[in-house]
Amino acid sequence: MTRRIFTAVLAYLLTFTMAAQRPAVSASAWAQPSRADVLESPPVYENLRTPAEWEEVQALLISWSSYPSILKQIVAAAREEVVVIILSGNISQTANYLLSSNDGGPSLSDLTNITILPYATNTIWMRDYAANSVYADEVGELFLADWIYNRPRPLDDASPEVIADHFGLELYGMTAPPYHVMNTGGNFMVDGFGTAFASELVLDENDGFGNYNLNYPIHTEEEIDAIHAQFMGIERYIKMPVLPYDGIHHIDMHMKLLDEETLLVGEYPDGVADGPQINANIEYVLSHYLSKWDTPYRVIRIPMPPSVQGNYPDNNGAYRTYTNGVFVNKTIIIPTYREQYDTTAIRIWQEACPGYRIVGVDCDNNNANLISLGGAIHCITHTVAAQHPLLISHQPLKDVPYNSTTTSYEVHAYMNHADGLAEAKLYWRTAGSESFQEVTLSSPDGKNWYGYIPAQPAGTVVQYYLYGRATTGKEQWRPMPAPEGYWKFKILDEAVSVEELNISVFNRVFPNPASAITCIELNIPRACDAKLFITDVTGRTVLTIKDGTFENGSSKHFIDAGQLVAGLYHVVFLAEGRLNSLPLLVE
């Protein structure tokens, strides 16, 4: 928005009295503000990178347009980590509500780390219409990138200009031909290294058609991908079919990226609501894509709770979800519903993100039933990434078998800062020890850093974290809440026998009978060199799935059974001279 138009809108807003729970402003009451300050051609920067949500942020964004009691709880939790930016049509009323205690929620004693900007939005759904942070040169200049919003809400759609102006950031818009793309933040997640996830909603809303009287872009999937690469550095855009019972088709309602290789995925009871389609989508991802580390994605399941009456979305129940949370540096704010389900969900979050402060906000009570509108915490928040980030990326070490000849365990981390690193360190200890030991990392190129944890006896659990300091003095830790949060791995007991590889190796093979993509799920008690293959009834090998090292624990492997002639086969796991097999019927 230009300053002249902003001043005119501000003059109007300052005369506008907002009720404590103000309804959305009618879109028809406002003309679309000018987008003259938006740069509508691709950034000229090199090596663009859209940061992941678990990276450092400098601000949390919300719109004070409805559900003030929920927003107030978010503000109270987030301002301990960052500045909270509130867009409001009535500054004094918003401030008074935050400082009051008449809603039964937290009463703030002051407005520290809270900035209220005089701008009235149409709705509360900040995630969908706010712009996304993008870095030039991986960790360099920060700017914002904006899409066309998929709703007829001009104030929402123009709000990124207010945020960009406040932070003094360039705003690039995928908003004008030939680079115009319609998208929403709730349907967009990234791993911080060029991979994005979405539902096929992004394809549907860029085919020239839609449910609202908007100017819908017309693009092929290749064109959509190319625009995201040019503006946001997205080189791999993974899209999944929309879910039948999720009316908004945003992936944040059932999925969350926790790190570069971990997906938190909502789980319904067998055959209920969107459970089958969610499972099919995740199996599709697992069978076609590897993580940044060229490893299968790790999937953690978290229950999707029903209504008080026991109803799910396929029976008029709201789309209750625990994946719809937001990272705010060392705090994660998640929606909650009822204690009997919340307890399990919080435990799952804590185990998946150790050391983080998990804050629950009730989105399902009578006075603030936000979830009934198809959204929760992630949907009503957005973030602005940190300036001058110190990027640390590391694939945590997995459990390793005891080996008497092992001298140490190598730790590799990728670290980058625009001004270079002054030092990088590894801190480790064994479980039960109070203090961490320090190891200075070395680097051959200033970005890839290596260090070593001394070999430990069988049965030992090792805990560790990483630290980096830039030449500017900027510091960063991973996991971010270290030392309270850390990674861990176990030195497996040498007494684990070879015979254990001959029992319970196969969790399941499904579907069986099979005719297309088929999943072979293993559970291996210890790492080993082995071969996984398919034989026909004569014992002849017809397909080798993997021949090499298998890590301990659960893993999934995929074949296309449609390539096999109909008949009976066996899935065989051969390790250290011992066979384990299950029948597979191909239709």
Side-chain angles (χ1 to χ4, degrees):
M1 183 185 300
T2 64
R3 289 188 178 276
R4 182 170 59 184
I5 293 179
F6 182 81
T7 302
V9 174
L10 175 58
Y12 178 87
L13 292 176
L14 292 178
T15 65
F16 183 77
T17 302
M18 181 181 70
Q21 191 165 333
R22 180 174 63 84
V25 178
S26 169
S28 62
W30 298 84
Q32 173 67 58
S34 166
R35 301 184 69 87
D37 290 342
V38 180
L39 304 171
E40 292 179 319
S41 59
V44 296
Y45 305 114
E46 299 291 333
N47 196 16
L48 302 182
R49 187 179 72 89
T50 300
E53 290 188 32
W54 56 82
E55 295 185 41
E56 183 186 7
V57 300
Q58 61 176 306
L60 182 80
L61 311 176
I62 62 173
S63 165
W64 201 271
S65 56
S66 56
Y67 295 93
S69 62
I70 289 177
L71 293 175
K72 184 177 177 182
Q73 294 176 70
I74 294 173
V75 171
R79 74 166 184 165
E80 296 187 26
E81 300 280 354
V82 296
V83 174
V84 179
I85 306 295
I86 303 173
L87 299 185
S88 171
N90 190 311
I91 292 177
S92 61
Q93 191 169 58
T94 299
N96 289 338
Y97 189 92
L98 290 170
L99 296 171
S100 70
S101 58
N102 55 13
D103 65 346
S107 178
L108 306 185
S109 59
D110 55 46
L111 298 179
T112 300
N113 282 350
I114 299 170
T115 299
I116 307 174
L117 299 180
Y119 185 85
T121 56
N122 300 107
T123 66
I124 197 174
W125 309 112
M126 177 65 75
R127 176 65 52 173
D128 292 334
Y129 54 77
N132 293 280
S133 298
V134 183
Y135 290 115
D137 197 24
E138 191 172 73
V139 291
E141 188 76 19
L142 174 66
F143 63 88
L144 300 179
D146 188 27
W147 302 297
I148 300 171
Y149 183 33
N150 71 343
R151 293 290 189 271
R153 299 164 181 163
L155 294 175
D156 290 353
D157 199 24
S159 65
E161 298 168 46
V162 179
I163 300 301
D165 183 67
H166 176 75
F167 285 96
L169 299 174
E170 289 182 328
L171 176 62
Y172 285 86
M174 293 169 273
T175 50
Y179 305 110
H180 55 323
V181 168
M182 183 170 288
N183 206 352
T184 56
N187 193 40
F188 186 76
M189 291 184 186
V190 297
D191 72 345
F193 287 92
T195 292
F197 292 81
S199 80
E200 292 177 352
L201 175 68
V202 69
L203 303 181
D204 298 338
E205 293 188 330
N206 289 280
D207 63 2
F209 301 96
N211 297 325
Y212 301 95
N213 186 23
L214 296 170
N215 183 21
Y216 287 91
I218 302 177
H219 291 299
T220 65
E221 182 173 3
E222 291 73 20
E223 290 170 339
I224 294 169
D225 291 352
I227 295 169
H228 280 85
Q230 289 174 287
F231 280 79
M232 305 180 73
I234 301 303
E235 299 298 337
R236 185 175 67 163
Y237 204 167
I238 301 171
K239 308 172 193 75
M240 296 166 283
V242 299
L243 306 181
Y245 296 101
D246 175 14
I248 60 172
H249 303 315
H250 292 181
I251 61 171
D252 66 354
M253 293 299 288
H254 68 275
M255 173 180 159
K256 186 81 173 175
L257 272 170
L258 300 184
D259 58 37
E260 294 91 335
E261 64 178 353
T262 305
L263 308 176
L264 181 68
V265 179
E267 184 172 47
Y268 286 105
D270 288 345
V272 170
D274 283 331
Q277 188 62 60
I278 291 173
N279 293 341
N281 288 355
I282 296 302
E283 297 301 342
Y284 164 79
V285 170
L286 295 177
S287 64
H288 287 79
Y289 301 99
L290 296 175
S291 75
K292 171 187 182 295
W293 314 112
D294 290 329
T295 56
Y297 282 101
R298 173 187 177 218
V299 176
I300 299 174
R301 303 306 293 258
I302 191 166
M304 305 280 276
S307 68
V308 174
Q309 295 76 24
N311 295 331
Y312 289 98
D314 55 346
N315 190 26
N316 299 317
Y319 215 94
R320 293 171 177 84
T321 169
Y322 290 107
T323 65
N324 200 265
V326 61
F327 282 89
V328 191
N329 292 342
K330 295 181 287 185
T331 293
I332 304 172
I333 309 172
I334 67 171
T336 55
Y337 306 98
R338 298 190 304 284
E339 185 177 3
Q340 67 184 103
Y341 298 102
D342 298 342
T343 301
T344 297
I346 291 172
R347 174 184 55 78
I348 292 172
W349 267 103
Q350 289 173 333
E351 291 175 353
C353 302
Y356 282 84
R357 180 174 65 121
I358 309 298
V359 177
V361 176
D362 188 354
C363 294
D364 197 22
N365 65 69
N366 292 331
N367 296 323
N369 191 358
L370 176 64
I371 197 64
S372 66
L373 299 183
I377 304 302
H378 190 257
C379 300
I380 63 174
T381 60
H382 213 304
T383 54
V384 177
Q387 296 272 17
H388 315 298
L390 200 168
L391 174 64
I392 301 178
S393 181
H394 167 69
Q395 183 183 29
L397 299 183
K398 296 178 173 61
D399 295 350
V400 295
Y402 174 77
N403 187 330
S404 60
T405 64
T406 299
T407 57
S408 59
Y409 313 107
E410 183 180 80
V411 176
H412 167 230
Y414 179 82
M415 301 190 188
N416 194 13
H417 186 273
D419 294 297
L421 266 73
E423 64 175 348
K425 294 182 178 181
L426 157 71
Y427 293 86
W428 71 274
R429 69 182 180 188
T430 57
S433 302
E434 292 187 3
S435 60
F436 286 88
Q437 300 187 51
E438 178 183 302
V439 174
T440 298
L441 305 184
S442 60
S443 175
D445 58 8
K447 293 184 180 180
N448 290 284
W449 296 80
Y450 298 88
Y452 298 87
I453 298 173
Q456 301 296 317
T460 303
V461 174
V462 178
Q463 302 165 343
Y464 71 101
Y465 65 91
L466 294 163
Y467 164 83
R469 180 174 62 84
T471 56
T472 61
K474 170 82 173 186
E475 296 179 303
Q476 190 56 267
W477 291 260
R478 283 291 183 277
M480 194 176 290
E484 288 77 15
Y486 46 76
W487 295 295
K488 63 181 179 180
F489 65 96
K490 184 176 182 178
I491 316 304
L492 299 175
D493 194 330
E494 61 181 331
V496 175
S497 65
V498 172
E499 285 72 16
E500 287 195 49
L501 293 176
N502 201 37
I503 58 172
S504 302
V505 171
F506 290 102
N507 272 353
R508 55 178 178 162
V509 176
F510 66 97
N512 192 1
S515 60
I517 297 297
T518 305
C519 178
I520 301 165
E521 188 173 7
L522 305 178
N523 187 22
I524 302 173
R526 65 178 176 87
C528 62
D529 290 328
K531 182 178 179 181
L532 180 65
F533 56 101
I534 305 290
T535 66
D536 60 18
V537 292
T538 69
R540 180 177 64 92
T541 299
V542 296
L543 177 65
T544 297
I545 303 169
K546 179 178 178 179
D547 188 356
T549 301
F550 287 73
E551 300 291 344
N552 70 292
S554 297
S555 62
K556 293 181 180 180
H557 308 267
F558 299 87
I559 64 168
D560 183 359
Q563 297 179 351
L564 301 176
V565 176
L568 180 64
Y569 297 84
H570 283 85
V571 185
V572 183
F573 184 82
L574 172 62
E576 301 175 2
R578 296 177 180 271
L579 290 174
N580 200 304
S581 67
L582 280 180
L584 172 66
L585 180 62
V586 175
E587 297 179 324

